[in-house]
Amino acid sequence: KIDSANTTWVTNSADINHSVDYGFGKLNISDAIDMCKGRNGYSPYVSLGDEHNITTIEDTNSTDFIIPNDDLSGTDINITVSENKKVEWVGVYIDGNIDNFGEIELKLTSPSGTTTQLLHSNNSVGTISLNEEVRFSSNAFLDENSSGVWTVNVADKDSNNQTNRSL
């Protein structure tokens, strides 16, 4: 960890530290080179070839999800994943109609309980409207298991009573 006073550090269930501000922290380039060369007890680099899998889960519910106005705690959307894979990266696609996207806050929680913030409210998006699909991603869940219930928390952090707040 760098800047251990920063409150965004979380330790996921695979015992890996991650921060939305610093990612995984500072790289140790010497250790990385030694690992690739098979030095200091590290195994030499091995290609995984085509042994990777990508899982896509889509919510096919045609009913709009309405984000409650000025709801500081937010509302949860639960997504169940049945496959048990090691996670490298998670992408969440949001498609909606939101008048003031800068008010929205998004958090993602894995089945093991690790939570990371995907979008801060009062961000640089400001008063831009959302009316198309946008992807938010995180690798805070590196090496966690994928199976179980993933929770997307959506909150409207401003009380300006915008008209359109649907996903």
Side-chain angles (χ1 to χ4, degrees):
K1 284 186 194 180
I2 56 174
D3 189 10
S4 59
N6 184 291
T7 60
T8 66
W9 286 102
V10 296
T11 303
N12 71 19
S13 67
D15 203 31
I16 297 174
N17 293 312
H18 185 271
S19 163
V20 294
D21 293 333
Y22 296 106
F24 294 108
K26 201 170 16 174
L27 296 175
N28 184 329
I29 300 303
S30 289
D31 277 357
I33 291 169
D34 286 345
M35 185 183 298
C36 290
K37 292 182 175 180
R39 295 183 191 153
N40 298 333
Y42 292 114
S43 298
Y45 170 80
V46 176
S47 173
L48 296 178
D50 294 329
E51 296 180 23
H52 60 279
N53 295 300
I54 298 173
T55 300
T56 301
I57 296 167
E58 186 174 333
D59 181 3
T60 57
N61 185 351
S62 61
T63 305
D64 282 346
F65 171 80
I66 304 299
I67 305 166
N69 194 49
D70 194 24
D71 180 4
L72 300 180
S73 62
T75 303
D76 292 339
I77 302 170
N78 294 318
I79 302 162
T80 301
V81 176
S82 58
E83 290 181 84
N84 190 18
K85 305 282 184 186
K86 288 279 187 185
V87 174
E88 179 179 324
W89 170 89
V90 176
V92 175
Y93 291 84
I94 301 292
D95 190 3
N97 184 7
I98 300 172
D99 285 340
N100 188 346
F101 199 47
E103 297 178 4
I104 302 302
E105 180 175 275
L106 296 172
K107 292 182 180 178
L108 179 62
T109 302
S110 69
S112 65
T114 303
T115 299
T116 192
Q117 195 156 10
L118 299 175
L119 177 68
H120 294 269
S121 63
N122 300 319
N123 54 52
S124 61
V125 174
T127 58
I128 294 174
S129 296
L130 171 73
N131 55 16
E132 62 183 293
E133 185 176 82
V134 178
R135 183 188 78 196
F136 298 92
S137 61
S138 177
N139 50 5
F141 311 101
L142 181 67
D143 283 346
E144 288 193 7
N145 292 317
S146 62
S147 67
V149 177
W150 290 77
T151 302
V152 178
N153 180 272
V154 183
D156 180 348
K157 297 288 190 163
D158 196 342
S159 60
N160 78 355
N161 296 316
Q162 59 180 315
T163 306
N164 293 312
R165 296 181 322 277
S166 63
L167 297 179

